[in-house]
Amino acid sequence: MDRRKRALVIALVALHTLLIAAYTLPDAVVPVRLYVLAQRYARPLFHQQWKLFAPDPPLCSCEVQVAFGEEEWRPLHAGDANYLTRRMARSIAWYVQSEIGSGRKSPSPGMQSAIQAMVRDIGRDVPDLRSRLKEACVTNVDRPLEREKRITPLNLERP
């Protein structure tokens, strides 16, 4: 490598190091102009907008509940269900919640099949199945324990 290329590489590395240092050092130690340049240089490259390490929790909790005939409502999974089954039930509830929230009148065929399959897995026939989405939503972020409860009947097609 000739001298000019080597000098250019060294200058670029030095500029990069200077701008990253100015980006990470406290504002009081960095001149204002350099600070602004460092922000313009480093933010698009490195700033994460706090979405990776500290995501906002959802404002609504949700659960798909089922009932057979005139029985009481209960969660989609049995109370003693293993982690994977509880996780599947929670994922189904989130998908159903997003579908209902986007204006659908009933869950998509895939979600209907998933609900019916989970019910069959606990050893029950599906024909007298009723289902609903139960939500508890925060309406005021300053009072997160106060929640509005919503119940949405889910119209499942017969298998």
Side-chain angles (χ1 to χ4, degrees):
M1 197 174 349
D2 69 343
R3 287 185 152 196
R4 275 193 279 175
K5 286 182 182 177
R6 185 178 228 173
L8 179 62
V9 168
I10 290 172
L12 288 175
V13 169
L15 180 63
H16 172 79
T17 304
L18 175 70
L19 291 173
I20 296 302
Y23 177 71
T24 56
L25 290 171
D27 305 2
V29 239
V30 180
V32 176
R33 274 190 138 156
L34 182 58
Y35 180 76
V36 170
L37 283 173
Q39 294 295 315
R40 286 187 142 186
Y41 174 74
R43 275 208 176 167
L45 297 174
F46 303 113
H47 196 66
Q48 296 173 2
Q49 307 299 331
W50 297 109
K51 292 180 183 176
L52 179 62
F53 296 111
D56 290 333
L59 293 177
C60 291
S61 63
C62 62
E63 173 181 65
V64 172
Q65 295 182 327
V66 293
F68 304 97
E70 297 304 314
E71 289 182 12
E72 292 292 315
W73 292 100
R74 64 171 197 77
L76 182 57
H77 60 81
D80 61 346
N82 63 35
Y83 171 76
L84 182 58
T85 303
R86 290 191 318 267
R87 174 84 187 250
M88 288 176 3
R90 191 171 50 242
S91 294
I92 289 170
W94 288 337
Y95 278 108
V96 168
Q97 182 187 41
S98 69
E99 289 177 340
I100 299 298
S102 68
R104 291 185 63 102
K105 299 293 183 206
S106 62
S108 65
M111 286 298 103
Q112 290 185 33
S113 310
I115 292 168
Q116 292 165 345
M118 283 197 69
V119 171
R120 275 193 303 272
D121 286 348
I122 60 171
R124 298 295 301 257
D125 292 327
V126 180
D128 59 347
L129 175 68
R130 295 179 297 141
S131 62
R132 70 184 187 180
L133 178 67
K134 181 180 177 185
E135 298 174 281
C137 298
V138 174
T139 54
N140 182 349
V141 293
D142 294 329
R143 295 186 180 133
L145 296 178
E146 294 177 16
R147 294 178 178 244
E148 175 187 322
K149 300 202 181 341
R150 294 191 292 238
I151 303 288
T152 307
L154 302 176
N155 302 319
L156 302 181
E157 295 179 16
R158 300 289 175 226

